[in-house]
Amino acid sequence: MNLIDGKKVAADIRNELKEKISKLKAEEKNVPGLVAIIVGDDPASHIYVSSKGKACEEIGMRTKTEKLPADITEDKLLELIKSYNENKDFHGILVQLPLPKHINEDKVIETISSKKDVDGFHPISVGNLVIGKDTFASCTPAGIQELLIRYKIETKGKHVVVVGRSNIVGKPITNIMLQKAEGANSIVTIVHSAAKDISYYTKQADILIAAIGKPEMIKADMVKDGVVVVDVGINRIDDPSKPKGYRIVGDVDFENVSKKASYITPVPGGVGPMTIAMLLSNTFKAYNLYGEK
Ligand code: NAP
């Protein structure tokens, strides 16, 4: 069994970007910038946003966080987004979700310029992904593909089974793996909660991608020998032996499934660290494609 070390790959990506940005600075060029907009004071959202900001700073990327009160009007938020659509110093715009109930998330996402849509949630980005045009793919699925590429895992003609059909993981990774491209060109099956027996599908997987949100649901008898397992799940389970009283596990029973797998991502330290790395990478791409240098 080979462990897919997402922490290391994410660090490699950040270092590669850091080098590119130092070169831009040495040439006195503009550098890529990412603005994060956060509404309200949900502690988890603030932690996510501050780690994104810190990651930008570490690689020399311009970064700014707009902290808005929970009762901000939708119009004011849309105005702010529009101002960043025109701002030449920020090439990526991220609006931390979820938003308070009085704000229409779809409207917010659609207001972000598709040229600055580094989260890959805009319908134009999603549509481009489906029809196979180069675009911003959402960060977690893009990170999964990057792991497969960097570990030189053959994907062409392989049967990829995705469990979960969310708009942020299941559907985009399905569309990514379908493309006639490096790190893709796979035969893809997508399974969800309406399946009577998901093991019928998971047993056929050469590459199994679990994005379910159910702790350790994928057991060893649900996979075949030699399977490549990508575990996207992040689940908190009670564990009195831990200082915090809980631990984080994936959607896969790692201890037993890893005995049958050829490659497997751990949780934590697998897919998780890739999300921010791909956000930085998408921001650099937005700068390259559309930014004033
Ligand atoms: P989600 O929106 O809740 O979607 C879960 C999917 O799993 C749904 O499509 C659901 O089917 C399916 N599902 C649920 N129970 C099932 C069952 N018993 N059998 C088959 N399918 C089942 O979750 P998500 O946003 O995709 O996230 C999935 C997991 O990944 C979560 O643990 C989340 O925390 C984690 N995650 C990690 C990252 C990261 O590492 N950076 C990023 C995003 C998400 P239905 O559609 O039929 O309901």
Side-chain angles (χ1 to χ4, degrees):
M1 181 273 288
N2 298 288
L3 205 62
I4 299 180
D5 187 348
K7 226 170 156 180
K8 182 188 175 295
V9 175
D12 289 348
I13 292 171
R14 290 204 304 267
N15 284 332
E16 289 159 19
L17 291 169
K18 189 175 180 175
E19 245 171 62
K20 288 182 189 164
I21 293 172
S22 325
K23 222 169 134 207
L24 292 172
K25 285 184 177 167
E27 292 164 2
E28 294 184 356
K29 290 194 171 142
N30 194 10
V31 294
L34 174 70
V35 60
I37 301 173
I38 180 164
V39 181
D41 33 46
D42 173 57
S45 294
H46 277 268
I47 292 171
Y48 288 139
V49 165
S50 83
S51 53
K52 287 167 187 172
K54 219 172 114 207
C56 288
E57 277 165 20
E58 277 168 13
I59 64 164
M61 198 173 258
R62 184 178 296 113
T63 177
K64 187 170 177 187
T65 302
E66 293 279 3
K67 293 181 185 167
L68 307 176
D71 61 355
I72 188 155
T73 63
E74 185 178 284
D75 281 349
K76 277 203 174 135
L77 174 60
L78 298 183
E79 280 317 308
L80 182 70
I81 293 171
K82 284 178 195 161
S83 76
Y84 278 107
N85 283 344
E86 303 303 321
N87 188 321
K88 292 187 171 35
D89 283 338
F90 292 94
H91 309 87
I93 302 172
L94 172 148
V95 178
Q96 186 65 38
L97 302 177
L99 290 167
K101 288 204 169 53
H102 67 280
I103 297 176
N104 180 330
E105 274 184 14
D106 289 344
K107 219 164 161 183
V108 167
I109 290 168
E110 285 164 32
T111 301
I112 297 172
S113 161
S114 62
K115 294 180 174 175
K116 299 192 177 192
D117 175 38
V118 288
D119 256 341
F121 294 157
H122 194 290
I124 291 179
S125 308
V126 177
N128 280 335
L129 178 65
V130 173
I131 61 174
K133 277 193 181 168
D134 186 31
T135 187
F136 300 110
S138 71
C139 300
T140 303
I144 294 170
Q145 186 187 38
E146 195 66 30
L147 287 175
L148 296 172
I149 291 174
R150 292 198 182 217
Y151 275 83
K152 298 189 170 49
I153 291 168
E154 181 64 86
T155 53
K156 184 178 172 188
K158 298 293 176 191
H159 189 187
V160 172
V161 176
V162 178
V163 190
R165 58 175 161 184
S166 70
N167 288 338
I168 63 163
V169 190
K171 282 182 195 152
I173 192 60
T174 298
N175 283 306
I176 288 173
M177 299 313 295
L178 269 180
Q179 300 307 322
K180 212 170 188 174
E182 188 204 359
N185 216 354
S186 308
I187 317 302
V188 190
T189 299
I190 182 161
V191 197
H192 44 76
S193 69
K196 273 202 185 120
D197 173 16
I198 72 157
S199 73
Y200 170 79
Y201 304 95
T202 56
K203 277 180 198 159
Q204 298 176 43
D206 298 314
I207 300 173
L208 179 67
I209 300 175
I212 317 164
K214 297 268 155 75
E216 300 177 331
M217 195 183 108
I218 305 291
K219 305 290 183 199
D221 62 358
M222 296 167 71
V223 300
K224 67 179 182 188
D225 282 325
V227 64
V228 173
V229 178
V230 178
D231 188 354
V232 189
I234 302 176
N235 309 291
R236 195 186 267 204
I237 58 168
D238 292 342
D239 185 345
S241 73
K242 301 284 171 199
K244 287 182 179 164
Y246 67 85
R247 66 193 159 93
I248 300 294
V249 298
D251 290 341
V252 175
D253 173 4
F254 182 87
E255 193 187 335
N256 295 304
V257 172
S258 61
K259 291 177 187 148
K260 289 177 91 174
S262 56
Y263 288 87
I264 188 165
T265 61
V267 177
V271 175
M274 292 299 290
T275 303
I276 292 185
M278 298 316 288
L279 176 71
L280 302 175
S281 178
N282 274 350
T283 304
F284 195 86
K285 180 174 175 172
Y287 164 85
N288 259 345
L289 288 174
Y290 309 113
E292 269 182 26
K293 310 293 180 294

